[in-house]
Amino acid sequence: MFSDQSLTKALKAHAAQLGFSSCGIARADAHDGRVALGNWLEAGQHGTMDWMETRAGQRAAPQALWPQAQSVIALGMSYAPARDPMRLADAAGIGRISVYAQGADYHDVVKRNLKALARWLVDRAGGELKVFVDTAPVMEKPLGAAAGIGWQGKHTNLVSTEHGSWLFLGCIMTTLDLVPDRPHRDRCGSCDACQRACPTDAFPAPYKLDARRCISYLTIEHKGSIPIEFRRAIGNRIYGCDDCLAVCPWNKFAASARANTAFVARAELAAPELADLLALDDAAFRAVFAGSPIKRIGRDRMVRNACIAAGNSADVRLIPALERLARADSEIVAEAATWALAQLTGPLCAE
């Protein structure tokens, strides 16, 4: 084990220079999620995210993915918003995009800085390592808790006493046996604000999420038509949902000034007009969402989401666009547009 505390101190200092708000170290065997992950998958609460099940064995623990790993360096990068994420809740005609997707694609930003930190570590201490940001079968949230950078809150996301619920997570696995930090204790207490805030009751119990009811899952991961029972609750959310994060009391300590400037909201994504979104073709979609994580869902899913928001808007000016989309080749777009028209044009209601 590298008992020299100067290495970990220098590591954390360099991580801060690279834009990471939090950095902690855990042993590679500090978390084994086989039971909890297995129960969640068995209950079908992952919905159509088949990739969660396909690599569940590797996802359960770091050494199941990479047996040579000895330590995990968990890192967080703040994306704390400058304005209230709930401010557009009643803005008819406007689509709400989750805070995390309003700026640059976090996958690119976090991975670039992880690689820079990894090179720094190899230069000073050697060893082998691997870097991970979201797309690999790694459970970053429990590993972050084991490394002491926060705890997994009742909304199942990581919470920090300094940065609230606004952290992008990444990690570096290394063959180096580094001195671990203490795990972070749970600080949720009796608070249930996130549970009460969920528009679709996606939390069957504290610390448990049924993705099939989650607006983030429905508007991002789900490829088919959105179940009718959730459409009214979706409101004007067109990509993700921040409600359970936004109401967390720990956010009062999060300062947007400490957030990475790459994640500052782009003007066209902060409050997009539904009329503009309904008019998108493939080329326009790619142009508008270039460099954004939104690009990966494709034009049809975005327009599907915009149709649902239009149906909830009470804005009859959107009817011509919806009539055109009701004849679209895409089944999910045409079905969502037809539903939206029924909401805007009279007593017929597709509920």
Side-chain angles (χ1 to χ4, degrees), residues 3-254:
S3 57
D4 186 358
Q5 295 289 345
S6 63
L7 175 63
T8 55
K9 183 177 180 180
L11 172 71
K12 293 178 180 180
H14 195 64
Q17 292 175 9
L18 289 169
F20 290 104
S21 309
S22 304
C23 178
I25 299 168
R27 290 181 51 84
D29 60 0
H31 173 75
D32 188 329
R34 280 177 291 189
V35 174
L37 179 60
N39 291 339
W40 187 66
L41 292 170
E42 187 176 350
Q45 294 181 337
H46 60 303
T48 57
M49 295 185 289
D50 296 337
W51 43 269
M52 295 290 296
E53 191 168 3
T54 302
R55 302 185 69 180
Q58 292 178 313
R59 189 179 300 277
Q63 291 179 329
L65 176 62
W66 189 30
Q68 291 75 32
Q70 294 298 309
S71 303
V72 177
I73 304 166
L75 297 123
M77 191 173 282
S78 174
Y79 67 101
R83 293 187 288 177
D84 179 7
M86 310 282 277
R87 72 188 186 283
L88 298 176
D90 299 318
I94 297 295
R96 292 167 63 191
I97 292 174
S98 184
V99 170
Y100 88 86
Q102 293 181 20
D105 191 334
Y106 70 96
H107 297 93
D108 299 333
V109 177
V110 176
K111 178 163 278 190
R112 180 172 61 247
N113 288 281
L114 280 178
K115 287 181 176 179
L117 185 61
R119 288 192 295 269
W120 180 94
L121 181 59
V122 169
D123 287 345
R124 281 154 182 77
E128 298 178 54
L129 50 77
K130 298 180 185 292
V131 301
F132 302 96
V133 184
D134 192 34
T135 54
V138 176
M139 300 180 74
E140 292 99 339
K141 291 179 282 189
L143 286 172
I149 66 172
W151 71 97
Q152 204 164 352
K154 291 179 181 178
H155 52 26
T156 75
N157 290 287
L158 202 76
V159 186
S160 163
T161 55
E162 294 182 75
H163 309 290
S165 294
W166 312 111
L167 283 177
F168 289 128
L169 302 177
C171 69
I172 300 173
M173 294 186 191
T174 175
T175 56
L176 297 174
D177 190 7
L178 302 173
V179 178
D181 290 295
R182 292 182 179 179
H184 203 297
R185 69 182 182 90
D186 190 316
R187 300 288 296 275
C188 286
S190 60
C191 178
D192 64 349
C194 60
Q195 312 289 284
R196 290 183 284 108
C198 181
T200 53
D201 295 322
F203 300 107
Y207 308 103
K208 296 185 184 301
L209 172 69
D210 186 342
R212 297 168 298 184
R213 302 183 64 86
C214 176
I215 292 175
S216 287
Y217 164 80
L218 292 168
T219 57
I220 300 173
E221 301 293 345
H222 185 60
K223 296 178 181 179
S225 293
I226 293 174
I228 291 175
E229 65 178 298
F230 301 123
R231 294 185 184 184
R232 284 298 189 190
I234 285 174
N236 62 344
R237 301 171 186 83
I238 58 168
Y239 187 92
C241 178
D242 290 318
D243 291 25
C244 67
L245 303 179
V247 299
C248 179
W250 287 101
N251 288 336
K252 64 186 177 183
F253 298 106

Side-chain angles (χ1 to χ4, degrees), residues 246-323:
V247 299
C248 179
W250 287 101
N251 288 336
K252 64 186 177 183
F253 298 106
S256 60
R258 294 199 297 265
N260 191 301
T261 55
F263 306 129
V264 172
R266 290 162 47 181
E268 68 273 25
L269 302 184
E273 297 277 349
L274 291 179
D276 294 337
L277 296 169
L278 294 174
L280 290 174
D281 58 17
D282 286 329
F285 172 83
R286 289 193 297 270
V288 170
F289 297 107
S292 163
I294 298 173
K295 188 177 178 181
R296 74 182 183 89
I297 71 169
R299 176 262 182 188
D300 288 353
R301 269 189 272 177
M302 171 53 71
V303 175
R304 172 202 63 183
N305 297 344
C307 286
I308 300 299
N312 292 328
S313 70
D315 188 348
V316 296
R317 294 173 298 175
L318 299 176
I319 288 176
L322 291 169
E323 289 175 335

